[in-house]
Amino acid sequence: MKKILIVEDDTVTAKIYRTRLEKAGFAVETAANGQACLDRLNEVAPDGLLVDLMMPGISGIELLKRIRAIPQFQSVPVICYTNAFVQKLIDEAKAAGATHVFDKSTMTTTMLVEAFTTATNPS
């Protein structure tokens, strides 16, 4: 079973995505912020991460850079999403190593499941 680590400071949002990903057959862990993610990254050893770009403390962009600096996580799919869906932020996320960036307001749970299914099962 593929493991996904959700990094989201809003507990309701994290629960919604966790429930949907679990129904799709993923094992899911959550981290409430960037530091919690970094603290648990090796323990969880996720096959993919879902990262909110707009978080207090360590931003999603900074978190992504730190994840990509760890050799064993350089190729792990990291799907990012944000309410501040502006081109500059999308470009920064992609430059930092995001596999995909979604607009939180238009992303559906089906789109999220499809993105993780594709990203964690390369052909």
Side-chain angles (χ1 to χ4, degrees), residues 46-98:
D47 298 297
L49 290 99
L50 176 62
V51 175
D52 183 2
L53 292 178
M54 304 297 289
M55 292 185 293
I58 299 172
S59 73
I61 299 291
E62 181 59 30
L63 176 60
L64 188 52
K65 289 176 182 176
R66 291 186 191 186
I67 290 168
R68 291 299 188 218
I70 303 169
Q72 66 265 38
F73 297 108
Q74 288 178 347
S75 62
V76 171
V78 180
I79 296 174
C80 299
Y81 61 110
T82 182
N83 277 326
F85 200 72
V86 293
Q87 195 60 49
K88 182 178 187 247
L89 187 59
I90 296 163
D91 293 343
E92 284 182 53
K94 288 182 179 179

Side-chain angles (χ1 to χ4, degrees), residues 12 16 20 43 59-60 68 74 88 90 95 105 113 119 121 123:
V12 173
I16 290 167
R20 183 61 179 94
E43 168 196 335
S59 73
R68 291 299 188 218
Q74 288 178 347
K88 182 178 187 247
I90 296 163
S105 68
V113 168
N121 295 300
S123 336

